[in-house]
C-alpha cells in the first residue's frame, strides 16, 4: 500500500505520470466522473485549511466518490485527548483513503504506521506539503512547458514555509534547476533542506535578502506568506510579516514570461493589482491543485 508523506515517495517517473493523468482529466473530465464510485475519502484537518481540504473533497466528489471528516480538531475526539494513532485506526475502518493535516511534523508518518488505508500528508507543521507541490509542478509545467533548466526564486518565509521545502525536494531531481532563496535573515531555509536536499543533489543555489536585485534572473517567482501560526513571539511576526510585498513596480525589471506562484492564502505579500498581470499564476495553481489531487487519489487507490 502506497502513501504520500513526502514528495520523494514518488519517483520522477511517477510524478510525470500524475501530471499526464491530471492533463487528461482537464481535457476529458467526463471519463473520470465515476472512477471512485463507492469509495470514501476522509479529510482529517487538525489545522485550518481552505484550498487543500476543499480541493480534496471536490476531487473525490468529481470522481464519483464520497467524503467525510472534520475541519476542526475541536469537533473531533482529539479534543478529549485521543491520539493520532487511535484516530487513524478508527477512521481507516470508515474510509478507503485519508488526507490529513496536522500541526506536528511527522504526524502523517505516525498515521501511516497504523492505517489500513493510504495516508496523504496534507501539510505537517513547518515540514512538508507534498500535494501543494503536485499543484505547483503542474502549474510550472503548464506555464513553462518543462520542469528542468529553470531559475526559481523562493521569497518570504523559507524557514516555516512547508510548501517551499517540498517543492525544493521535488525540483532537486530535475536537471538544470537554479534556486534563488530570498528571505530575511531570521527566516532562511532550514539547514536540513540545504544539506539533505540541495547539497546532496548538487543543486545550484544562492541566498539573498534583495528581491529586486535578483528579479531579472527568475523564470518562476514563488512568493510565500510569513507563517504567523509557527511564531513563538508576536513581535517577531509583526516585524517580519511585510518583509516582501510584490507590486507591479517591483516587477518592472522581471522577465516578460516570469510565472508568479503563491500557494495561498495571501495576506499582504502580493498587491492585488498584480492579480491582473499575465504573469500571475496563483489562481491557476489553485485549479491545478484539484486536478492533481484527483490524479493522486486514483493512483493511491490503484484505479486505472
Ligand atoms: N495552500 C494551502 O495549503 O492552502 P490552505 O491552507 O487553505 O489549505
Amino acid at each position: 500500500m502506497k502513501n504520500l508523506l513526502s514528495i520523494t515517495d514518488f519517483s520522477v517517473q511517477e510524478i510525470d505520470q500524475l501530471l499526464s493523468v491530471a492533463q487528461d482529466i482537464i481535457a476529458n473530465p467526463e471519463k473520470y466522473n465515476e472512477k471512485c464510485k463507492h469509495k470514501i475519502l476522509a479529510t482529517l484537518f487538525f489545522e485550518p485549511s481552505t484550498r487543500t481540504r476543499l480541493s480534496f473533497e471536490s476531487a473525490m466528489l468529481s470522481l464519483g466518490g464520497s467524503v467525510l471528516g472534520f475541519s476542526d480538531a475541536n469537533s473531533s475526539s482529539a479534543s478529549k485527548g485521543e491520539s493520532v494513532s487511535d484516530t487513524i485506526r478508527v477512521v481507516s475502518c470508515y474510509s478507503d483513503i485519508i488526507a490529513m493535516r496536522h500541526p506536528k511534523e511527522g504526524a502523517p508518518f505516525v498515521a501511516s504506521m497504523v492505517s489500513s488505508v493510504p495516508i496523504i500528508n496534507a501539510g505537517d507543521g513547518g515540514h512538508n506539503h507534498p500535494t501543494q507541490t503536485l499543484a505547483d509542478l503542474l502549474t510550472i509545467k503548464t506555464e513553462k512547458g518543462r520542469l528542468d533548466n529553470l531559475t526559481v526564486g523562493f521569497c518570504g518565509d523559507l524557514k516555516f514555509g512547508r510548501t517551499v521545502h517540498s517543492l525544493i525536494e521535488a525540483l532537486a531531481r530535475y536537471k538544470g534547476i537554479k534556486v534563488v532563496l530570498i528571505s530575511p535573515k531570521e527566516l532562511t531555509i532550514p539547514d536540513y533542506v540545504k544539506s539533505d536536499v540541495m547539497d546532496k543533489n548538487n543543486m545550484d543555489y544562492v541566498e539573498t535578502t534583495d528581491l529586486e536585485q535578483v528579479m531579472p534572473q527568475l523564470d518562476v517567482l514563488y512568493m510565500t506568506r510569513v507563517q504567523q501560526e509557527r511564531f513563538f513571539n508576536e513581535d517577531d511576526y509583526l516585524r517580519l510579516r511585510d518583509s516582501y510585498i510584490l507590486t507591479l513596480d517591483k516587477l518592472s525589471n522581471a522577465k516578460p514570461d516570469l510565472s508568479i506562484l503563491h500557494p495561498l492564502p495571501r495576506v499582504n505579500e502580493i498587491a492585488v493589482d498584480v492579480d491582473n498581470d499575465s504573469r500571475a499564476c496563483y489562481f491557476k495553481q489553485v485549479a491545478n491543485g484539484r486536478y492533481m489531487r484527483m490524479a493522486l487519489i486514483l493512483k493511491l487507490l490503484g484505479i486505472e
Side-chain angles (χ1 to χ4, degrees):
M1 187 179 68
K2 189 136 176 121
N3 303 297
L4 176 60
L5 307 179
S6 152
I7 196 66
T8 54
D9 289 336
F10 288 145
S11 66
V12 169
Q13 193 186 15
E14 286 176 307
I15 288 175
D16 287 345
Q17 282 164 354
L18 286 173
L19 292 165
S20 297
V21 173
Q23 284 164 334
D24 194 52
I25 291 169
I26 294 169
N28 306 291
E30 68 291 342
K31 256 172 62 183
Y32 293 86
N33 55 20
E34 294 209 338
K35 291 275 186 193
C36 286
K37 206 169 169 186
H38 306 307
K39 297 289 184 190
I40 298 174
L41 165 75
T43 54
L44 309 185
F45 277 64
F46 297 83
E47 257 195 353
S49 167
T50 295
R51 272 146 297 274
T52 311
R53 185 175 65 83
L54 295 180
S55 65
F56 262 118
E57 296 192 358
S58 175
M60 190 48 145
L61 295 172
S62 303
L63 292 166
S66 306
V67 294
L68 53 79
F70 55 81
S71 58
D72 177 1
N74 289 323
S75 70
S76 78
S77 288
S79 64
K80 302 175 202 165
E82 187 165 47
S83 66
V84 167
S85 296
D86 284 0
T87 303
I88 295 297
R89 288 179 88 136
V90 169
V91 176
S92 56
C93 298
Y94 305 150
S95 59
D96 299 293
I97 186 166
I98 296 173
M100 66 175 286
R101 170 172 289 185
H102 200 282
K104 286 212 177 107
E105 284 89 355
F109 173 75
V110 171
S112 73
M113 304 301 280
V114 296
S115 181
S116 55
V117 302
I119 294 290
I120 301 170
N121 178 2
D124 62 328
H127 184 217
N128 274 339
H129 193 348
T131 68
Q132 178 64 47
T133 299
L134 296 177
D136 302 340
L137 293 175
L138 179 57
T139 309
I140 295 171
K141 180 89 193 266
T142 306
E143 296 301 314
K144 313 312 291 183
R146 64 189 191 279
L147 289 170
D148 53 12
N149 297 309
L150 293 166
T151 300
V152 182
F154 290 90
C155 179
D157 184 351
L158 309 188
K159 180 177 180 185
F160 297 118
R162 58 192 174 196
T163 66
V164 172
H165 309 158
S166 289
L167 183 52
I168 289 176
E169 276 192 318
L171 292 174
R173 295 182 295 170
Y174 290 87
K175 287 202 180 85
I177 296 290
K178 179 176 179 186
V179 167
V180 183
L181 301 163
I182 309 141
S183 73
K185 296 262 186 266
E186 294 91 333
L187 297 177
T188 54
I189 200 95
D191 285 344
Y192 82 87
V193 178
K194 283 188 197 168
S195 57
D196 299 353
V197 182
M198 297 195 295
D199 291 340
K200 203 168 167 185
N201 288 284
N202 293 318
M203 245 182 148
D204 186 1
Y205 70 90
V206 291
E207 293 184 281
T208 178
T209 55
D210 190 341
L211 172 61
E212 281 160 279
Q213 197 221 327
V214 297
M215 187 74 87
Q217 306 171 28
L218 306 179
D219 299 305
V220 175
L221 172 57
Y222 195 96
M223 294 296 296
T224 62
R225 171 178 69 93
V226 175
Q227 307 270 305
Q228 179 176 15
E229 62 275 33
R230 314 268 176 240
F231 276 74
F232 293 109
N233 178 334
E234 178 74 3
D235 290 340
D236 286 345
Y237 169 69
L238 293 174
R239 184 168 52 78
L240 294 168
R241 70 175 174 183
D242 291 334
S243 298
Y244 301 97
I245 300 176
L246 186 66
T247 58
L248 286 174
D249 229 24
K250 289 186 186 152
L251 285 166
S252 60
N253 63 349
K255 288 186 180 174
D257 64 345
L258 172 72
S259 297
I260 304 164
L261 276 68
H262 189 312
L264 305 180
R266 154 177 62 183
V267 181
N268 206 23
E269 315 77 57
I270 303 181
V272 289
D273 299 1
V274 176
D275 299 358
N276 295 325
D277 191 289
S278 60
R279 292 169 287 191
C281 299
Y282 27 94
F283 290 108
K284 294 182 198 168
Q285 207 177 340
V286 170
N288 288 336
R290 175 164 159 267
Y291 299 122
M292 284 305 273
R293 290 179 176 107
M294 287 173 78
L296 174 66
I297 290 169
L298 291 171
K299 179 172 177 62
L300 295 183
L301 288 178
I303 295 170
E304 288 291 309

